[in-house]
Amino acid sequence: MKIAVAGATGLIGSQLTALARQEGHDVVEIARSTGFDLLQPAGLEEALTGVEAVVDVTSSDGLDVAEAFFTTVAHHLGHAATAAGVTRTVVLSIVGIDRGQDYDYYVAKLAHERATRESAPGPVVLRATQFHEFAGQMLQWNTADGVARVIDVPSQPVDSGEVARLLLDLATGVVTGDQDLAGPKMERLVDQVRRLVEHAGSDVTVEPVPAPPSMAGGSMLPGPEALLRGPDWATWLDQQG
């Protein structure tokens, strides 16, 4: 197949692009580094000519502009894909966003889903839990003066490679319909970050901070219908060396 990946150079997009090419698919990489500004429609229809499926794994530059970014990107991609004759659109979203509307980024991601369903041909939504890399990102983003201040929430993180695998299966039609994806084991984010600090031999102190009530109450956890795949977080961490 010919597949377009919007956000092709990010954590998920780069893995998806590599996996798709490994399996013999032709991939159109849509990213800033390949000459596309998804906030502008110019060039998208031409780039999507002959494409059978679009996978949207874009991410926002900041929380304050996230909703406007996602809805604009979804409309531009959707309109261009429709004009180019694309038949399927897969968008990556997050487990629990409909239960977490007290958090602005989740408001933005739900708007992303809605805009995709409104504009894109053959829309399919994959909601995934936080990736295994998320705890490390939280440590990086929230550490200052030797203290990491991390929200105390339960989650069920998933291997990002499993996300890329399922996105490709949805794009090619091997799997159909909206899906939820999670890893096999629940973790608390504060505990994960503490284990990362210990794993690295760092002297950073980890302090829990309040989370949005929905997240503290478990909105990030998958429901019983979710697919559970890949190694748990501790196994994944051991494999990182």
Side-chain angles (χ1 to χ4, degrees), residues 180-228:
D180 282 12
L181 176 66
K185 185 179 179 182
M186 189 185 80
E187 302 281 352
R188 294 203 72 88
L189 183 57
V190 166
D191 293 339
Q192 289 178 273
V193 174
R194 284 176 175 147
R195 288 161 70 185
L196 279 176
V197 168
E198 180 181 355
H199 187 81
S202 170
D203 59 359
V204 169
T205 300
V206 180
E207 292 184 357
V209 297
S214 66
M215 293 181 172
S219 68
M220 299 165 72
L221 296 172
E225 75 287 350
L227 301 172
L228 304 182

Side-chain angles (χ1 to χ4, degrees), residues 53 65 86 119 150:
V65 297
V86 174
S119 305
V150 179

